[in-house]
Amino acid sequence: MTAEKQAELRVAGEGYPLKALEGTMGDLALDIRDLRAQSGRVAYDPGMANVASCRSAITFVDGEKGILLHRGYALEDLIENCNFTEVAYLLIHGALPPEEKRKKFSALLNLHSMLHEDMRSFFGNYPEGAHPMAVLSAMVVSLSSFYPELRHNGVKEEVDITVTRLLSKLRTIAAFSYKKSIGEPYIYPSHKYSYCENFLNMMFRSPVSRYKAEPEDVALMNKLLILHADHEQNASTTAMRMVGSTGANLYACISAGICALWGPLHGGANQAVVEMLEGIIEEGLTPEQVLARAKNKQDPFRLMGFGHRIYKTYDPRAKIAKRLCTELLQRRPINDKLFDVALELEERALADEYFRERNLYPNVDYYTGLIYRALGFPTEMYPVLFALGRLPGWIAHWLEMRQDPDQKLMRPRQIYVGPERREFAPVETRE
Ligand code: CMC
């Protein structure tokens, strides 16, 4: 072990050596698993910004250089050369599929795309205006009551079929929840379409329309889903892993991941960005007024779609999303004022001292909502599309966790700051 990797913690004059860990790309860590047993202390880090919760071989992110690799492949290469199901296969199985396996995987995804017919009635019972993320997470956990529950130590075949079911059915659930929200009949999946074409067809066809997805839109949908396919230990993956660490079934874990993703600081940000831009136009705010609000610490307003826990430079996904958005709006000229406002706001923010000092750049959610909007998706569906893309990542992490000998029940500690022990107060003495 080299000198700079060795570490010792000194507490009250006592020294405790800390084992060093190193990743394949040079990530350095200190193993503090024995910290409390040795020193009587625990580590305090509420946002877990300094904690590696596991070792993982799925995704590598360099937040300083803006690099994102899946199983060693650059995101940019995967976006240009693969469709979404190939990337899902890569994340889940660790290698890109040869032709035979690629075909088999696609055929399997088609085979399992239907939902149990009894599940249809669930959609009907949600109130009008129900957020599709609520429906999505509830439906995913409901799958565990319709399809045999995967045992904690389930054999490979059992695991494979559950994974395939989930990947295949999530897009059907997503499309059904949209159809329910607009009061249109559900469109069933069809074997004649590819993964993304099937999804677009279920979303936008109706008994009275002759919708046929444009090949460019299918290609774009593939790219958008790949853009979201995994992002190592983000909040939803960590939520999913935490639920998984209790031994809960895969459906329950994914449902938890969906709930965590919903928040506006995470996957809900794509919806929040578009709502923010709409608000700016409605109120007639100038970029200066918007940035002033974002910088004002007394104002809870933040520039949505800006900033990232890991990226201290331009998020590589945001770069791609911006290009895809520009290309789409050229291909399908829509006079979208929101796009112009987004461009101007980005330019002003990147030149602003506050944003520069704090390394705040557009993240993946800044432009994706505008793409979904131009494709015709309603605002509330944006986080659902994020979830659809993130699913193979969640699954890959769940599978990895099951094989990890270091994996344990995730159960953090706390620093108690409440009252010390006090005498019980009978009701007549309470004030
Ligand atoms: N607008 C204004 N100020 C910001 C913003 C923003 N969007 N983001 C961070 N800051 C400020 C923050 O106030 C703080 O300032 P100070 O040092 O003066 O207190 C500083 O920058 C550091 O911020 P932080 O909150 O400590 O950073 P974090 O790593 O905890 O937060 C974040 C990361 C993504 C939650 C945050 O940047 C944010 O709220 N962004 C807006 C929501 C958003 O776009 N989320 C999508 C994230 S990317 C996709 C995904 O994960 O799903």
Side-chain angles (χ1 to χ4, degrees):
M1 200 191 303
T2 56
E4 83 265 17
K5 289 177 196 159
Q6 283 171 348
E8 187 185 76
L9 176 75
R10 293 202 70 79
V11 180
E14 285 286 324
Y16 305 99
L18 295 176
K19 212 170 97 192
L21 300 174
E22 189 172 358
T24 43
M25 302 289 272
D27 290 332
L28 296 175
L30 300 173
D31 183 342
I32 59 162
R33 278 178 290 181
D34 294 333
L35 182 65
R36 187 169 180 277
Q38 284 185 344
S39 70
R41 269 74 170 176
V42 294
Y44 178 64
D45 187 12
M48 295 168 79
N50 302 284
V51 174
S53 59
C54 61
R55 287 193 254 203
S56 178
I58 301 168
T59 289
F60 172 76
V61 179
D62 183 327
E64 271 72 36
K65 296 196 181 117
I67 295 172
L68 172 54
L69 311 177
H70 295 312
R71 301 284 190 188
Y73 295 106
L75 174 72
E76 293 78 4
D77 289 338
L78 296 173
I79 292 258
E80 284 318 308
N81 300 299
C82 294
N83 62 30
F84 174 63
T85 52
E86 276 176 287
V87 175
Y89 187 100
L90 169 72
L91 289 168
I92 291 167
H93 297 284
L96 284 166
E99 185 56 11
E100 202 49 38
K101 287 191 175 159
R102 193 181 66 82
K103 276 194 191 149
K104 199 171 154 209
F105 189 54
S106 295
L108 267 179
L109 291 179
N110 263 342
L111 194 68
H112 292 281
S113 55
M114 296 264 283
L115 290 182
H116 194 293
E117 198 58 13
D118 289 350
M119 284 186 81
R120 266 181 48 145
S121 60
F122 291 3
F123 290 92
N125 289 325
Y126 280 93
E128 202 178 308
H131 197 290
M133 283 296 264
V135 180
L136 192 74
S137 62
M139 288 296 170
V140 167
V141 80
S142 303
L143 286 173
S144 58
S145 53
F146 281 90
Y147 299 94
E149 194 179 292
L150 184 63
R151 287 170 292 138
H152 188 53
N153 54 354
V155 293
K156 187 175 175 314
E157 290 70 28
E158 242 177 68
V159 175
D160 284 351
I161 194 79
T162 308
V163 162
T164 314
R165 272 197 189 115
L166 251 174
L167 274 174
S168 187
K169 293 184 197 308
L170 196 75
R171 74 199 146 145
T172 313
I173 295 174
F176 277 25
S177 68
Y178 168 62
K179 286 296 193 192
K180 151 70 194 165
S181 75
I182 57 167
E184 278 189 7
Y186 309 116
I187 304 294
Y188 283 80
S190 162
H191 282 196
K192 66 180 176 194
Y193 298 130
S194 65
Y195 191 90
C196 284
E197 189 171 7
N198 228 332
F199 175 61
L200 289 173
N201 192 60
M202 286 191 278
M203 282 288 303
F204 297 121
R205 221 190 78 205
S206 84
V208 292
S209 84
R210 285 183 162 272
Y211 174 82
K212 169 95 181 78
E214 287 180 20
E216 292 88 349
D217 288 352
V218 176
L220 179 57
M221 200 64 227
N222 271 288
K223 290 184 198 305
L224 286 166
L225 295 187
I226 296 172
L227 211 55
H228 293 94
D230 191 45
H231 210 242
E232 49 117 308
Q233 311 309 320
N234 55 84
S236 56
T237 302
T238 301
M240 187 284 303
R241 276 184 177 256
M242 180 165 272
V243 175
S245 82
T246 70
N249 70 63
L250 177 60
Y251 301 114
C253 298
I254 300 296
S255 178
I258 293 169
C259 290
L261 185 73
W262 190 359
L265 297 188
H266 192 8
N270 52 18
Q271 175 178 346
V273 169
V274 168
E275 287 169 352
M276 173 186 78
L277 295 171
E278 285 170 343
I280 292 171
I281 292 175
E282 216 173 279
E283 292 172 44
L285 298 175
T286 62
E288 285 71 27
Q289 287 172 313
V290 178
L291 296 186
R293 278 198 69 187
K295 294 189 277 187
N296 180 358
K297 299 290 172 201
Q298 313 315 319
D299 190 333
F301 176 85
R302 280 191 165 196
L303 191 57
M304 300 312 285
F306 257 73
H308 196 275
R309 173 62 61 78
I310 307 284
Y311 291 118
K312 298 305 160 202
T313 182
Y314 217 107
D315 180 337
R317 302 167 301 172
K319 254 188 218 164
I320 298 171
K322 186 177 180 181
R323 173 174 60 78
L324 294 176
C325 189
T326 312
E327 287 169 3
L328 173 63
L329 294 180
Q330 279 163 0
R331 171 163 68 84
R332 184 174 297 162
I334 304 166
N335 187 12
D336 195 347
K337 257 178 132 182
L338 263 65
F339 184 61
D340 299 335
V341 173
L343 284 176
E344 190 175 357
L345 209 48
E346 179 196 341
E347 197 183 315
R348 300 288 179 100
L350 293 180
D352 189 290
E353 201 53 29
Y354 173 96
F355 288 85
R356 287 156 70 103
E357 265 173 13
R358 291 168 179 76
N359 294 317
L360 301 172
Y361 292 86
N363 59 50
V364 66
D365 295 311
Y366 194 67
Y367 285 105
T368 48
L370 293 172
I371 306 179
Y372 300 141
R373 185 179 147 91
L375 284 173
F377 289 99
T379 326
E380 292 199 331
M381 279 298 284
Y382 304 170
V384 172
L385 298 168
F386 194 144
L388 209 53
R390 184 54 53 88
L391 181 64
W394 286 330
I395 291 174
H397 283 274
W398 186 83
L399 292 169
E400 181 175 71
M401 185 174 71
R402 286 163 54 91
Q403 303 298 327
D404 184 351
D406 286 350
Q407 180 54 47
K408 293 181 87 154
L409 171 75
M410 280 191 188
R411 201 307 188 181
R413 294 211 172 235
Q414 63 168 10
I415 300 169
Y416 176 70
V417 293
E420 290 179 10
R421 179 154 192 160
R422 45 186 174 169
E423 287 300 312
F424 176 75
V427 69
E428 28 340 317
T429 67
R430 293 176 208 160
E431 292 182 1

